[in-house]
Every structure is written in C-alpha cells, then in structure tokens.
C-alpha cells in the first residue's frame, strides 16, 4: 500500500519502504559496488574502467532496471572469467588480452556502447520498444559469443583456420576460427539469449534470432579482422568490437521487424 499522499518522481514510500526511482537506484547501487571493488582491489577493471563501468551501470539500470542490468553483469562476469582461461599459456604466446584482461574505458564501451544506445532508445522511442529490447539483448549475446569464441579458441583450439582462406594459422591470429571457439561462442550467445527471455525483455521467438545474429556478426568480425584490421592502425580491437555488436543488434532487430511485419 502506498502510504505517501503525493507521487514523487524521485521516490515513493510503499509499506514503509523508500523506493528510489530507477536513476537514483542506479546511482546508489553502482556507487556501492564501485566502493566494494575499490576496497577489495579487484582486478577485473582498471581505475578508469571502473568509473566508466559505473556510468554504464547507471545508464542501464535507469533505462532497463534490474533486467537489463543483469544482462550486462552476466556478460561482464562470464566474459572476464573466460578471458582468464589459459592465461599463463596465452601470455607466454603473446596472445593474451592486455593488462591480463583488466577492462579499461575502451573495453567497456567497445563492448557495451551499442547496447547502451539500444537501452536509451527503448525509453526515447517507446513505440519501437520491443525491437530495441531485442537489439539490446542481441548486442550482448553477440559480445559474449565473440569473447567465448576468441578466448576459448586461443586457449584450447587444436586447429585454427583463417576465415578467408581456410588455411591453418597460429592461435590468436586476427580472423582465425576454430571448432572449439565456435562451439563456445554458440554457448555464450545462447546463454545471454535465454537470460533475456527469462527476465522478460523479449519473447521466446527472439531466442534463435539473437543466437543466429550473434553467429553471423562474429563471422563479419572475423572477416574484418582477416582483411582490414592489420591494414589500418585506427581499426582497433575495441572499434571492431563495436562493429561486431552493432551488426549483431542490427541483424536481430531487422529479423524481428520482418517477422512482425510478416505476421501482422
């Protein structure tokens, strides 16, 4: 029962409990988590990366509440864990992520910029809410798929091939693919897609759409890595990640829109 007599945009008292609006809740939650991370000297984010992760968390909670926040947290925690697989061997081979996988600002936004834009558009363009929610989930499904495929492939890939020629290449080569990495990527994409459905961000029909969008987006990323990334210094891994998530989100959104139009 609401006990306050006036509605407040900042907070409302329900059965004696003060409920903050999503934006203030996002600030409070992420400030507490940030303080814990600083006190425990966590190694998942650099100090600058921690601030940018705080900003990302506020934006996601403010727009999509706990459901969207959970998607980002699962991606971040699982992606960080996968990055550390076989770290000793990857560092010895010179193919490990820099800073032993600790995320800086460029990593935060390379992975999450597309998803953040989709989350903001859910609020700004509510008439297309369903499409942008699918695109949001697909962007993180694509990114976790990419992380799992890359890191598992580098750690455990028995045979890696350049996607453009299918010629054997060393693990860690830009544009290289492996069976182990591909299967891990499908698992990562499926995990986020199922999570997005289970928390109510999208319907069950969008699960295979997100998985397929992630698969094809990762093919595009491998092609970019094999053909363009080495030629242009400005085409960084973070920018390629942004391209990857944008392609995944766009494919999923387009497929969902086509499906809606077909069955109208």
């Amino acid at each position: 029962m609401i006990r306050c007599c006036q509605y407040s945009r900042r907070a409302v008292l329900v059965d004696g409990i003060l409920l903050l609006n999503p934006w203030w809740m996002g600030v409070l939650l992420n400030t507490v988590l940030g303080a814990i991370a600083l006190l425990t000297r966590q190694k998942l984010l650099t100090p600058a990366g921690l601030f940018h992760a705080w900003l990302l968390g506020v934006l996601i909670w403010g727009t999509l509440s706990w459901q969207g926040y959970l998607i980002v947290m699962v991606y971040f925690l699982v992606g960080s864990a996968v990055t550390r697989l076989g770290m000793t061997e990857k560092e010895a081979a010179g193919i490990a992520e820099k800073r032993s996988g600790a995320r800086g600002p460029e990593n935060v936004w390379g992975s999450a910029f597309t998803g953040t834009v989709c989350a903001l558009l859910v609020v700004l363009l509510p008439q297309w809410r369903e499409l942008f929610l699918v695109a949001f989930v697909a962007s993180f499904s694509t990114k976790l798929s990419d992380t799992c495929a890359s890191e598992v492939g580098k750690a455990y890939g028995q045979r890696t091939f350049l996607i453009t020629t299918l010629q054997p290449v060393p693990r860690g080569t830009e544009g290289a693919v492996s069976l182990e990495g591909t299967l891990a990527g499908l698992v990562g994409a499926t995990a986020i897609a199922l999570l997005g459905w289970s928390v109510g961000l999208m319907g069950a029909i969008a699960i295979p759409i997100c998985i397929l969008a992630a698969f094809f987006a990762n093919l595009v990323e491998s092609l970019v890595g094999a053909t363009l990334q080495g030629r242009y210094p400005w085409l960084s891994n973070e920018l390629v990640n942004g391209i990857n998530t944008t392609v995944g989100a766009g494919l999923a959104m387009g497929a969902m829109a086509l499906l809606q139009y077909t069955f109208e």
Side-chain angles (χ1 to χ4, degrees):
M1 177 180 178
I2 299 178
R3 299 191 181 282
C4 60
C5 58
Q6 254 186 333
Y7 173 77
S8 168
R9 294 188 63 188
R10 293 190 174 185
V12 63
L13 192 65
V14 180
D15 290 333
I17 300 174
L18 187 66
L19 301 180
L20 300 178
N21 84 355
W23 292 100
W24 285 109
M25 185 63 191
V27 170
L28 177 62
L29 174 64
N30 285 281
T31 299
V32 171
L33 292 178
I36 292 172
L38 285 173
L39 291 173
T40 57
R41 298 182 180 180
Q42 56 78 39
K43 298 181 180 179
L44 301 180
L45 290 157
T46 67
L50 184 60
F51 169 75
H52 286 263
W54 177 89
L55 178 59
L56 169 65
V58 171
L59 289 172
I60 297 301
W61 192 288
T63 52
L64 299 182
S65 192
W66 66 268
Q67 295 96 328
Y69 195 83
L70 184 61
I71 294 288
V72 178
M73 287 296 289
V74 168
Y75 156 70
F76 172 67
L77 294 175
V78 174
S80 296
V82 170
T83 299
R84 282 167 167 69
L85 291 175
M87 181 59 74
T88 302
E89 292 78 5
K90 288 188 287 190
E91 286 181 336
I95 57 175
E97 291 292 317
K98 59 185 178 181
R99 300 185 297 258
S100 296
R103 267 65 171 176
E106 71 281 8
N107 305 115
V108 171
W109 296 114
S111 301
F113 181 78
T114 300
T116 303
V117 170
C118 292
L120 290 169
L121 289 174
V122 167
V123 175
L124 296 174
L125 299 173
Q127 67 272 31
W128 292 331
R129 173 183 174 85
E130 184 177 353
L131 294 179
F132 286 122
L133 284 174
V134 171
F136 170 82
V137 175
S139 72
F140 285 101
S141 185
T142 298
K143 191 64 198 78
L144 185 58
S145 176
D146 170 51
T147 300
C148 290
S150 176
E151 297 302 330
V152 170
K154 288 190 290 187
Y156 304 114
Q158 297 299 307
R159 302 176 68 189
T160 52
F161 306 90
L162 194 65
I163 192 170
T164 51
T165 64
L166 298 183
Q167 294 299 310
V169 291
R171 285 184 291 180
T173 302
E174 294 293 347
V177 296
S178 67
L179 176 61
E180 295 83 358
T182 301
L183 292 176
L186 287 172
V187 171
T190 302
I192 294 294
L194 287 172
L195 181 61
W197 164 72
S198 68
V199 299
L201 290 178
M202 62 186 197
I205 190 63
I207 295 174
I209 289 176
C210 287
I211 296 170
L212 289 173
F215 177 77
F216 286 112
N218 286 334
L219 289 181
V220 171
E221 187 198 38
S222 294
L223 287 170
V224 171
T227 60
L228 300 175
Q229 194 166 359
R231 298 182 185 180
Y232 304 103
W234 52 266
L235 196 56
S236 64
N237 284 332
E238 291 72 34
L239 181 55
V240 173
N241 285 338
I243 294 170
N244 182 35
T245 55
T246 300
V247 170
L251 287 174
M253 189 174 177
M256 197 67 190
L258 181 61
L259 198 63
Q260 289 179 345
Y261 177 78
T262 303
F263 291 98
E264 276 184 350

